[in-house]
Amino acid sequence: MMNFKNKYILIVLTILISFSCTTKQKSEKEDALKKKPNVLFIAIDDLRTELGCYGVPQVKSPNIDQLAQDAFVFNRAYCNVPVCGASRASLLTSILPTKTRFIDYRAKAEEDVPNAKTLPGIFKEAGYTTISNGKIFHYNKDVQDASWSQKPWMPAGGHAVCYDPETEQLLMKSGNGRVYEAPEVADSFYPDYKIAQKTISDLRSFKVSGEPFFMACGFFRPHMPFYAPKKYWDLYDRDSIEIADNRYLPENAPSGLRGSGEFKTYSFGEYTPNTNEFHKMMRHGYYACVSYVDQLVGEVMSELENLGLAENTIVVLWGDHGWHLGEHEFWGKHNTLHNALQVPLIVKVPGKAKGMLTEALVESVDIYPTLCDLANIPTPDYIMGESFKSILDEPKQSFRENVYARFKAADAIVTEEFTYSLYENGEEMLYNRKLDPEENKNVATDVSYKKVIEEMRNALKIKQQQAASYK
C-alpha cells in the first residue's frame, strides 16, 4: 500500500511532467510561428461569392465554409480586371491594368510588365520552394523560370475533359460541346481532382523536407463547361433553385454595357436561352461544380491539418473575378458591374483571430504585398497594392476609400455605396448599391447625384494615374 509521502511525490511528478509537456507544446507552437510561414494559395476559376459563408444558403459549400470559420472573410474584395488571364497577371505582379496592359484572357505578365517580379518569384528569392499546380497564371509558361522552383504542373486535358458521350455530339464551331454533363463517374475522373492530389502529394513532400513553401493550387471549376460527377448535381433539387429576378438590362443602361458571349460557344442541348428552364439548368450546373471543387478544397485542407503544417501555413482562397448568373440576362464576367467585379477572398493566418468578417474594401493587387508583409519579405517599390495585414488584427477598420477595375472600354470605381463606370465614348454608369443592390437603375444622369459623379470622376483619374506610373 502506497504511503502518504510516496503518493505526494507521485502527484508532484505528475504535475511537473504535465507542465513540462504543456510548456514544450506551447514552445513548439511559438517556434513554428517564428519560422518562415508557408503559403497555400488556392485560386478558383470563375468563382463568385456564391457560397454558404457569403450568405447563399442554397449553395452547398461545407468545406470552404469551414475554412471561413477558421479565417477572415473579406466581404468587399474586388478583382482589378474581370477576365481570368488579366486578373491573374495583375494580382501576381501587384500592378494595375491600363488600356494597353492586362487587357483580356490572353494577357501575359512577361509581355505586359517584363521587368516586374512576380509574387511567387519574390518568395523564391527569399528562399522558398515555389510550386504551381493547375491554373495559376493563365499560361503556365508565363514568367515560369523566375516564378517557380519546378516546372508548373497541369493535368492532361484541361477544363473541357468530358465523359458523357452526348457531350460531344453537338460540337459547336468553337470546338466546344454541351455546356453541361453529369456522368456517374468518380471524383477522380476530372482534372481538378488530379490538381488536388498533386497538391496533397507536394504537401507530404514538404512535411518530410521541412523547407518553407509557397504552394499555388488552381482549380478549373466552376468555369464552364459545367461538368461534374452526378453526385454533385444530385445535391440540388433543380425545381427549388432560385434564379435571378432582374433578367433585364438596367434602366438607362449605356450602349457600352454588354454581357460575356463566352457561354454562347457551348451547345445548350435541349435548353433554350432566356427561359426559366435554361436559367435553372445553368445555375444547377454552376452550383454542382462549386460543390465539386469545394470537396477538393476540403481534401487539401484536411491534409494540411493532418500533416501538422496548418499551424505555420497562411491560406488564401481567391476567385479570379466575379460572374453573372443570369442577372440582366448575362452569364459570365466581362463587364464592370458589381457581379463581375466582386470576388471571394478568405485568408487564414496562424495566430490571428478566426471566424471574422470584414467589410473593408480591398483589391486583388493587395494580396501580393499582404503575403510579403506576413512573411517579412520586402516588396518592390513599384507595386500598386497595399498590405491589409492590419485588418487581420482589427477587422472593423476601414482600408481603402475605393477600388479600381477596368475592362476593355470601361474604367470603374467601387466605393462603400456606389459603383461607377466611365466608358471611352463618355457614357457613364452609377449605381447606388445601398438603395439598389442589384444595380437595376443607372442614376448617372440624375442631377441629385451630380456631386457623387464628380467625386467618382476625380477618384478615377487618381487611379488611372497610379496605374500609368509603372513603365
Side-chain angles (χ1 to χ4, degrees), residues 284-363:
H284 192 178
Y286 187 89
Y287 292 167
C289 290
V290 169
S291 293
Y292 176 44
V293 80
D294 174 81
Q295 173 62 28
L296 302 177
V297 168
E299 292 176 11
V300 171
M301 291 303 301
S302 292
E303 190 64 19
L304 189 74
E305 292 282 349
N306 293 338
L307 292 170
L309 293 172
E311 288 186 355
N312 193 45
T313 299
I314 301 163
V315 179
V316 175
L317 185 144
W318 169 77
D320 57 353
H321 45 67
W323 220 81
H324 293 280
L325 281 168
E327 298 90 356
H328 309 302
E329 212 60 65
F330 294 160
W331 297 98
K333 52 271 190 181
H334 297 167
N335 59 47
T336 53
L337 290 172
H338 193 266
N339 280 329
L341 299 180
Q342 186 189 22
V343 299
L345 177 61
I346 301 172
V347 181
K348 181 177 182 289
V349 180
K352 300 294 184 181
K354 300 178 179 180
M356 305 299 290
L357 175 70
T358 177
E359 297 290 334
L361 295 169
V362 298
E363 302 178 350

Coordinates of all heavy atoms in Angstrom, one line a residue, residues 284-363:
H284 N -27.9 25.3 -61.8 CA -27.7 24.0 -61.3 C -26.3 23.5 -61.6 O -25.6 23.0 -60.8 CB -28.7 23.0 -61.9 CG -28.8 21.7 -61.2 ND1 -29.7 20.7 -61.6 CD2 -28.1 21.1 -60.2 CE1 -29.6 19.7 -60.8 NE2 -28.6 19.9 -60.0
G285 N -25.9 23.7 -62.9 CA -24.5 23.3 -63.3 C -23.5 24.0 -62.5 O -22.5 23.4 -62.1
Y286 N -23.6 25.3 -62.4 CA -22.6 26.1 -61.7 C -22.5 25.7 -60.2 O -21.4 25.5 -59.7 CB -23.1 27.6 -61.7 CG -22.0 28.6 -61.1 CD1 -21.0 29.1 -61.9 CD2 -22.1 28.9 -59.8 CE1 -20.1 30.0 -61.4 CE2 -21.2 29.8 -59.3 CZ -20.2 30.4 -60.1 OH -19.3 31.2 -59.6
Y287 N -23.7 25.4 -59.6 CA -23.7 25.0 -58.2 C -23.0 23.6 -58.0 O -22.3 23.4 -57.0 CB -25.1 25.0 -57.6 CG -25.7 26.4 -57.5 CD1 -27.1 26.5 -57.2 CD2 -25.0 27.5 -57.6 CE1 -27.7 27.8 -57.1 CE2 -25.5 28.8 -57.4 CZ -26.9 28.9 -57.2 OH -27.5 30.1 -57.1
A288 N -23.3 22.7 -58.9 CA -22.7 21.4 -58.9 C -21.2 21.5 -58.9 O -20.5 20.8 -58.2 CB -23.3 20.5 -60.0
C289 N -20.7 22.3 -59.8 CA -19.3 22.5 -59.9 C -18.7 23.2 -58.7 O -17.5 22.8 -58.3 CB -19.0 23.3 -61.2 SG -19.3 22.4 -62.7
V290 N -19.4 24.1 -58.1 CA -18.9 24.7 -56.9 C -18.8 23.7 -55.8 O -17.8 23.6 -55.0 CB -19.8 25.9 -56.4 CG1 -19.5 26.3 -55.0 CG2 -19.7 27.0 -57.4
S291 N -19.8 22.8 -55.7 CA -19.8 21.7 -54.6 C -18.7 20.7 -54.9 O -18.0 20.2 -54.0 CB -21.1 21.0 -54.6 OG -22.1 21.9 -54.1
Y292 N -18.4 20.5 -56.2 CA -17.3 19.5 -56.5 C -16.0 20.1 -56.1 O -15.1 19.5 -55.4 CB -17.3 19.3 -58.0 CG -16.2 18.4 -58.5 CD1 -15.8 17.3 -57.9 CD2 -15.5 18.7 -59.7 CE1 -14.7 16.5 -58.4 CE2 -14.5 18.0 -60.2 CZ -14.1 16.8 -59.6 OH -13.1 16.0 -60.0
V293 N -15.7 21.4 -56.5 CA -14.4 22.0 -56.1 C -14.3 22.2 -54.6 O -13.2 22.1 -54.0 CB -14.2 23.3 -56.9 CG1 -14.9 24.5 -56.3 CG2 -12.7 23.6 -57.0
D294 N -15.5 22.4 -54.0 CA -15.5 22.6 -52.5 C -15.0 21.3 -51.9 O -14.2 21.3 -50.9 CB -16.9 22.9 -52.0 CG -17.0 22.9 -50.5 OD1 -16.6 23.9 -49.9 OD2 -17.4 21.9 -49.9
Q295 N -15.4 20.1 -52.4 CA -14.9 18.9 -51.8 C -13.4 18.8 -52.0 O -12.7 18.3 -51.0 CB -15.6 17.7 -52.6 CG -15.1 16.3 -52.2 CD -15.3 15.9 -50.8 OE1 -16.2 16.4 -50.1 NE2 -14.4 15.1 -50.3
L296 N -12.9 19.2 -53.1 CA -11.4 19.1 -53.3 C -10.7 20.1 -52.4 O -9.6 19.7 -51.9 CB -11.1 19.3 -54.8 CG -11.9 18.4 -55.8 CD1 -11.6 18.8 -57.2 CD2 -11.5 17.0 -55.5
V297 N -11.2 21.2 -52.2 CA -10.6 22.2 -51.3 C -10.5 21.6 -49.9 O -9.5 21.6 -49.2 CB -11.3 23.5 -51.3 CG1 -10.9 24.4 -50.1 CG2 -11.2 24.3 -52.6
G298 N -11.6 20.9 -49.5 CA -11.7 20.2 -48.2 C -10.6 19.2 -48.1 O -10.0 19.0 -47.0
E299 N -10.4 18.4 -49.1 CA -9.4 17.4 -49.1 C -8.0 17.9 -48.9 O -7.1 17.4 -48.2 CB -9.5 16.5 -50.3 CG -10.7 15.6 -50.4 CD -10.9 14.8 -51.6 OE1 -9.9 14.8 -52.4 OE2 -12.0 14.3 -51.9
V300 N -7.7 19.0 -49.6 CA -6.4 19.7 -49.5 C -6.2 20.2 -48.1 O -5.2 20.1 -47.4 CB -6.2 20.8 -50.5 CG1 -5.0 21.6 -50.2 CG2 -6.2 20.2 -51.9
M301 N -7.2 20.9 -47.6 CA -7.2 21.5 -46.2 C -7.0 20.4 -45.2 O -6.3 20.6 -44.2 CB -8.4 22.3 -46.0 CG -8.5 23.6 -46.8 SD -7.0 24.7 -46.6 CE -7.1 25.0 -44.8
S302 N -7.7 19.3 -45.3 CA -7.6 18.2 -44.4 C -6.2 17.7 -44.3 O -5.7 17.4 -43.2 CB -8.6 17.1 -44.7 OG -9.9 17.5 -44.5
E303 N -5.6 17.5 -45.4 CA -4.2 17.0 -45.5 C -3.3 18.0 -44.8 O -2.3 17.6 -44.1 CB -3.8 16.7 -46.9 CG -2.5 15.9 -47.0 CD -2.6 14.5 -46.4 OE1 -3.7 14.0 -46.2 OE2 -1.5 14.0 -46.1
L304 N -3.5 19.3 -45.1 CA -2.7 20.3 -44.5 C -2.7 20.2 -42.9 O -1.7 20.3 -42.2 CB -3.1 21.7 -44.9 CG -2.2 22.9 -44.5 CD1 -1.0 22.9 -45.3 CD2 -3.0 24.2 -44.6
E305 N -3.9 19.9 -42.4 CA -4.1 19.8 -41.0 C -3.5 18.5 -40.5 O -2.7 18.4 -39.5 CB -5.6 19.8 -40.6 CG -6.3 21.1 -40.8 CD -6.0 22.1 -39.7 OE1 -5.5 21.6 -38.7 OE2 -6.4 23.3 -39.9
N306 N -3.7 17.4 -41.2 CA -3.2 16.1 -40.8 C -1.7 16.0 -40.8 O -1.1 15.3 -39.9 CB -3.8 15.0 -41.7 CG -5.3 14.8 -41.6 OD1 -5.9 15.2 -40.6 ND2 -5.9 14.3 -42.6
L307 N -1.1 16.8 -41.6 CA 0.4 16.8 -41.7 C 1.0 17.7 -40.6 O 2.2 17.7 -40.5 CB 0.9 17.2 -43.1 CG 0.6 16.2 -44.2 CD1 0.9 16.9 -45.6 CD2 1.4 15.0 -44.1
G308 N 0.2 18.4 -39.9 CA 0.7 19.3 -38.9 C 1.3 20.6 -39.5 O 2.0 21.3 -38.8
L309 N 1.0 20.9 -40.8 CA 1.5 22.0 -41.4 C 0.7 23.3 -41.3 O 1.1 24.4 -41.5 CB 1.7 21.8 -42.9 CG 2.7 20.7 -43.3 CD1 2.7 20.4 -44.8 CD2 4.1 21.2 -42.9
A310 N -0.6 23.1 -40.9 CA -1.5 24.2 -40.8 C -1.1 25.3 -39.8 O -1.4 26.5 -40.0 CB -2.9 23.7 -40.4
E311 N -0.4 24.9 -38.7 CA 0.0 25.8 -37.7 C 1.0 26.9 -38.2 O 1.2 27.9 -37.5 CB 0.6 25.1 -36.5 CG -0.4 24.3 -35.7 CD 0.2 23.7 -34.4 OE1 1.4 23.9 -34.2 OE2 -0.6 23.2 -33.6
N312 N 1.6 26.6 -39.3 CA 2.6 27.6 -39.8 C 2.4 27.9 -41.3 O 3.3 28.2 -42.1 CB 4.0 27.1 -39.6 CG 5.1 28.1 -39.9 OD1 4.9 29.3 -39.4 ND2 6.1 27.8 -40.6
T313 N 1.1 27.8 -41.7 CA 0.8 28.0 -43.2 C -0.3 29.0 -43.3 O -1.4 28.9 -42.7 CB 0.4 26.7 -43.9 OG1 1.4 25.7 -43.8 CG2 0.0 26.9 -45.3
I314 N 0.0 30.1 -44.0 CA -1.0 31.1 -44.4 C -1.8 30.5 -45.6 O -1.3 30.0 -46.5 CB -0.4 32.4 -44.8 CG1 0.5 33.0 -43.7 CG2 -1.4 33.4 -45.3 CD1 1.5 34.0 -44.2
V315 N -3.1 30.5 -45.5 CA -4.0 30.0 -46.6 C -4.8 31.2 -47.2 O -5.4 32.0 -46.4 CB -5.0 28.9 -46.1 CG1 -5.9 28.4 -47.2 CG2 -4.2 27.8 -45.4
V316 N -4.8 31.3 -48.5 CA -5.6 32.3 -49.2 C -6.4 31.5 -50.2 O -5.9 30.8 -51.0 CB -4.7 33.3 -49.9 CG1 -5.6 34.3 -50.8 CG2 -3.8 34.1 -48.9
L317 N -7.7 31.8 -50.1 CA -8.6 31.2 -51.1 C -9.2 32.4 -51.9 O -9.8 33.3 -51.3 CB -9.7 30.4 -50.5 CG -10.7 29.7 -51.5 CD1 -11.1 28.3 -51.0 CD2 -11.9 30.5 -51.8
W318 N -9.1 32.4 -53.2 CA -9.4 33.6 -54.0 C -10.1 33.2 -55.3 O -9.7 32.2 -55.9 CB -8.1 34.4 -54.3 CG -8.2 35.5 -55.3 CD1 -8.7 36.7 -55.2 CD2 -7.7 35.4 -56.7 NE1 -8.5 37.5 -56.3 CE2 -7.9 36.7 -57.2 CE3 -7.0 34.4 -57.4 CZ2 -7.5 37.0 -58.5 CZ3 -6.7 34.7 -58.7 CH2 -6.9 36.0 -59.3
G319 N -11.1 33.9 -55.7 CA -11.7 33.7 -57.0 C -11.2 34.8 -57.9 O -11.0 36.0 -57.5
D320 N -10.9 34.5 -59.2 CA -10.2 35.4 -60.0 C -11.0 36.6 -60.6 O -10.5 37.6 -61.0 CB -9.4 34.7 -61.2 CG -10.3 33.9 -62.1 OD1 -11.5 33.7 -61.8 OD2 -9.8 33.4 -63.1
H321 N -12.3 36.5 -60.5 CA -13.2 37.6 -60.8 C -14.6 37.1 -60.5 O -14.9 36.0 -60.1 CB -13.2 37.9 -62.3 CG -13.1 36.7 -63.2 ND1 -14.2 35.9 -63.4 CD2 -12.2 36.2 -64.0 CE1 -13.9 34.9 -64.2 NE2 -12.7 35.0 -64.6
G322 N -15.6 38.0 -60.6 CA -17.0 37.7 -60.4 C -17.6 36.9 -61.6 O -16.9 36.6 -62.5
W323 N -18.9 36.8 -61.5 CA -19.6 36.0 -62.6 C -21.1 36.3 -62.5 O -21.7 36.2 -61.4 CB -19.4 34.5 -62.4 CG -19.1 33.8 -63.7 CD1 -18.0 33.7 -64.4 CD2 -20.1 33.0 -64.4 NE1 -18.1 32.9 -65.5 CE2 -19.4 32.4 -65.5 CE3 -21.4 32.7 -64.2 CZ2 -20.1 31.6 -66.4 CZ3 -22.1 31.8 -65.1 CH2 -21.4 31.3 -66.2
H324 N -21.7 36.6 -63.6 CA -23.2 36.8 -63.6 C -23.8 35.5 -63.7 O -23.4 34.6 -64.6 CB -23.6 37.7 -64.8 CG -23.1 39.1 -64.7 ND1 -23.8 40.1 -64.0 CD2 -22.0 39.7 -65.3 CE1 -23.2 41.2 -64.1 NE2 -22.1 41.1 -64.9
L325 N -24.9 35.3 -63.0 CA -25.7 34.0 -63.0 C -27.1 34.4 -63.5 O -28.1 34.0 -62.8 CB -25.7 33.4 -61.6 CG -24.4 32.6 -61.2 CD1 -24.5 32.2 -59.8 CD2 -24.3 31.3 -62.1
G326 N -27.2 35.0 -64.6 CA -28.5 35.3 -65.2 C -29.0 36.7 -64.9 O -30.0 37.1 -65.5
E327 N -28.3 37.4 -64.0 CA -28.8 38.8 -63.7 C -28.6 39.6 -65.0 O -27.6 39.5 -65.7 CB -27.9 39.4 -62.6 CG -28.1 38.7 -61.3 CD -27.0 37.6 -61.1 OE1 -26.3 37.3 -62.0 OE2 -27.0 37.0 -60.0
H328 N -29.6 40.4 -65.3 CA -29.6 41.2 -66.5 C -29.5 40.4 -67.8 O -29.1 40.9 -68.9 CB -28.5 42.3 -66.5 CG -28.4 43.1 -65.3 ND1 -29.5 43.8 -64.8 CD2 -27.4 43.2 -64.3 CE1 -29.1 44.4 -63.7 NE2 -27.9 44.1 -63.4
E329 N -29.8 39.1 -67.7 CA -29.7 38.1 -68.7 C -28.2 37.9 -69.2 O -27.9 37.6 -70.3 CB -30.6 38.5 -69.9 CG -31.1 37.3 -70.7 CD -32.0 36.3 -69.8 OE1 -33.0 36.8 -69.4 OE2 -31.6 35.2 -69.7
F330 N -27.3 38.2 -68.3 CA -25.9 38.0 -68.5 C -25.4 36.7 -67.9 O -25.9 36.3 -66.8 CB -25.0 39.1 -67.9 CG -25.3 40.5 -68.5 CD1 -24.9 41.6 -67.9 CD2 -25.8 40.6 -69.8 CE1 -25.1 42.9 -68.4 CE2 -26.0 41.8 -70.4 CZ -25.6 43.0 -69.7
W331 N -24.4 36.0 -68.5 CA -23.8 34.8 -68.0 C -22.3 35.0 -68.2 O -21.8 35.1 -69.3 CB -24.2 33.5 -68.7 CG -25.7 33.3 -68.6 CD1 -26.7 33.6 -69.5 CD2 -26.3 32.7 -67.5 NE1 -27.9 33.2 -69.0 CE2 -27.7 32.6 -67.7 CE3 -25.9 32.1 -66.3 CZ2 -28.7 32.1 -66.8 CZ3 -26.8 31.6 -65.4 CH2 -28.1 31.5 -65.7
G332 N -21.6 35.1 -67.0 CA -20.1 35.2 -67.1 C -19.7 36.6 -66.6 O -20.4 37.3 -65.8
K333 N -18.5 37.0 -67.0 CA -17.8 38.2 -66.5 C -17.9 39.2 -67.6 O -18.9 39.5 -68.1 CB -16.4 37.9 -66.0 CG -15.5 37.1 -67.0 CD -15.6 35.6 -66.9 CE -14.5 35.0 -67.8 NZ -14.6 33.5 -67.7
H334 N -16.7 39.9 -67.8 CA -16.5 40.8 -69.0 C -17.3 42.1 -69.0 O -17.7 42.6 -70.0 CB -16.8 40.0 -70.3 CG -15.9 38.9 -70.5 ND1 -16.1 37.9 -71.5 CD2 -14.7 38.5 -69.9 CE1 -15.2 37.0 -71.5 NE2 -14.3 37.3 -70.5
N335 N -17.6 42.6 -67.8 CA -18.1 44.0 -67.7 C -17.8 44.5 -66.3 O -17.1 43.9 -65.5 CB -19.6 44.1 -68.0 CG -20.5 43.3 -67.1 OD1 -20.3 43.3 -65.9 ND2 -21.4 42.5 -67.7
T336 N -18.2 45.8 -66.0 CA -17.8 46.4 -64.8 C -18.9 46.5 -63.8 O -18.9 47.4 -62.9 CB -17.1 47.8 -65.0 OG1 -18.0 48.6 -65.8 CG2 -15.8 47.6 -65.7
L337 N -19.9 45.7 -63.9 CA -21.0 45.6 -62.9 C -20.5 44.9 -61.7 O -19.5 44.1 -61.8 CB -22.2 44.9 -63.5 CG -23.0 45.7 -64.5 CD1 -24.1 44.8 -65.1 CD2 -23.6 47.0 -64.0
H338 N -21.1 45.1 -60.6 CA -20.7 44.5 -59.3 C -20.5 43.0 -59.4 O -19.5 42.5 -58.8 CB -21.7 44.9 -58.2 CG -21.1 44.7 -56.8 ND1 -21.4 43.5 -56.1 CD2 -20.3 45.4 -56.0 CE1 -20.8 43.6 -54.9 NE2 -20.2 44.7 -54.8
N339 N -21.5 42.3 -60.0 CA -21.4 40.8 -60.0 C -20.2 40.3 -60.8 O -19.7 39.2 -60.5 CB -22.6 40.3 -60.7 CG -23.8 40.2 -59.7 OD1 -23.6 40.0 -58.5 ND2 -25.0 40.4 -60.3
A340 N -19.6 41.1 -61.7 CA -18.4 40.7 -62.4 C -17.1 41.1 -61.7 O -16.1 40.5 -61.9 CB -18.4 41.4 -63.8
L341 N -17.2 42.0 -60.7 CA -16.0 42.5 -60.1 C -15.8 42.0 -58.7 O -14.6 41.7 -58.3 CB -16.1 44.1 -59.9 CG -16.2 44.9 -61.2 CD1 -16.3 46.3 -60.9 CD2 -15.0 44.6 -62.2
Q342 N -16.9 41.7 -57.9 CA -16.7 41.2 -56.5 C -16.2 39.8 -56.6 O -16.6 38.9 -57.4 CB -18.0 41.2 -55.8 CG -17.8 40.9 -54.3 CD -19.1 40.7 -53.6 OE1 -20.2 40.5 -54.2 NE2 -19.1 40.8 -52.2
V343 N -15.2 39.5 -55.7 CA -14.6 38.1 -55.6 C -14.6 37.6 -54.2 O -14.6 38.4 -53.2 CB -13.2 38.1 -56.2 CG1 -13.1 38.6 -57.6 CG2 -12.3 39.0 -55.3
P344 N -14.7 36.3 -54.1 CA -14.5 35.7 -52.7 C -13.0 35.8 -52.3 O -12.1 35.6 -53.2 CB -14.9 34.2 -52.9 CG -14.7 34.0 -54.4 CD -15.0 35.3 -55.1
L345 N -12.8 36.2 -51.1 CA -11.4 36.2 -50.6 C -11.4 35.8 -49.1 O -12.1 36.4 -48.3 CB -10.8 37.6 -50.7 CG -9.4 37.8 -50.1 CD1 -8.4 36.9 -50.8 CD2 -9.0 39.3 -50.2
I346 N -10.8 34.7 -48.8 CA -10.8 34.1 -47.5 C -9.3 33.9 -47.1 O -8.5 33.3 -47.9 CB -11.5 32.8 -47.4 CG1 -13.0 33.0 -47.8 CG2 -11.4 32.2 -46.0 CD1 -13.8 31.6 -48.0
V347 N -8.9 34.5 -46.0 CA -7.5 34.5 -45.6 C -7.4 33.9 -44.2 O -8.0 34.4 -43.2 CB -6.9 35.9 -45.6 CG1 -5.4 35.8 -45.2 CG2 -7.0 36.5 -47.0
K348 N -6.6 32.8 -44.0 CA -6.3 32.2 -42.8 C -4.9 32.4 -42.4 O -4.0 32.0 -43.1 CB -6.7 30.7 -42.8 CG -6.5 29.9 -41.5 CD -6.9 28.5 -41.7 CE -6.8 27.7 -40.4 NZ -5.4 27.4 -40.1
V349 N -4.6 33.0 -41.2 CA -3.3 33.3 -40.8 C -3.1 32.7 -39.4 O -3.8 33.0 -38.5 CB -3.0 34.8 -40.8 CG1 -1.6 35.1 -40.3 CG2 -3.2 35.4 -42.2
P350 N -2.1 31.9 -39.2 CA -1.8 31.3 -37.9 C -1.6 32.4 -36.9 O -0.9 33.4 -37.1 CB -0.5 30.5 -38.1 CG -0.5 30.2 -39.6 CD -1.1 31.3 -40.2
G351 N -2.2 32.2 -35.7 CA -2.1 33.2 -34.7 C -3.0 34.4 -34.7 O -3.1 35.2 -33.8
K352 N -3.8 34.5 -35.8 CA -4.7 35.6 -35.9 C -6.1 35.1 -35.5 O -6.4 33.9 -35.5 CB -4.8 36.2 -37.4 CG -3.5 36.7 -37.8 CD -3.1 38.0 -37.1 CE -1.8 38.6 -37.6 NZ -1.4 39.8 -36.9
A353 N -7.0 36.0 -35.3 CA -8.4 35.7 -34.9 C -9.1 34.9 -36.0 O -8.7 34.9 -37.2 CB -9.2 36.9 -34.6
K354 N -10.1 34.1 -35.6 CA -10.8 33.2 -36.6 C -12.2 33.6 -36.7 O -12.8 34.2 -35.8 CB -10.7 31.8 -36.1 CG -9.2 31.2 -36.0 CD -9.2 29.8 -35.5 CE -7.8 29.2 -35.4 NZ -7.8 27.8 -35.0
G355 N -12.8 33.2 -37.8 CA -14.3 33.4 -38.0 C -14.7 34.8 -38.0 O -15.8 35.2 -37.6
M356 N -13.8 35.7 -38.6 CA -14.1 37.1 -38.7 C -14.5 37.5 -40.1 O -14.1 37.0 -41.1 CB -12.8 37.9 -38.3 CG -12.3 37.5 -36.9 SD -13.4 37.8 -35.6 CE -13.4 39.6 -35.6
L357 N -15.4 38.5 -40.1 CA -15.9 39.1 -41.4 C -15.6 40.5 -41.4 O -15.8 41.3 -40.5 CB -17.4 38.9 -41.5 CG -18.1 39.5 -42.7 CD1 -17.7 38.8 -44.0 CD2 -19.6 39.6 -42.6
T358 N -15.0 41.0 -42.5 CA -14.6 42.4 -42.7 C -15.3 43.0 -43.9 O -15.4 42.3 -44.9 CB -13.1 42.6 -42.8 OG1 -12.9 44.0 -43.0 CG2 -12.5 41.8 -43.9
E359 N -15.8 44.2 -43.8 CA -16.4 44.9 -44.9 C -15.4 45.9 -45.5 O -15.8 46.7 -46.4 CB -17.6 45.8 -44.4 CG -18.7 44.9 -43.8 CD -19.5 44.1 -44.9 OE1 -19.5 44.6 -46.0 OE2 -20.0 43.1 -44.5
A360 N -14.1 45.8 -45.1 CA -13.1 46.7 -45.7 C -13.0 46.4 -47.2 O -12.9 45.3 -47.7 CB -11.8 46.4 -45.0
L361 N -12.8 47.5 -48.0 CA -12.6 47.4 -49.4 C -11.2 47.0 -49.7 O -10.3 47.7 -49.3 CB -12.9 48.8 -50.1 CG -14.4 49.3 -50.0 CD1 -14.4 50.7 -50.5 CD2 -15.3 48.4 -50.9
V362 N -11.0 45.9 -50.5 CA -9.7 45.5 -50.9 C -9.7 45.2 -52.3 O -10.7 44.8 -52.9 CB -9.1 44.3 -50.0 CG1 -9.0 44.7 -48.6 CG2 -10.0 43.1 -50.2
E363 N -8.5 45.2 -53.0 CA -8.3 44.9 -54.4 C -7.5 43.6 -54.5 O -6.7 43.3 -53.6 CB -7.7 46.0 -55.2 CG -8.4 47.3 -55.1 CD -7.6 48.4 -55.9 OE1 -6.5 48.2 -56.3 OE2 -8.2 49.5 -56.1

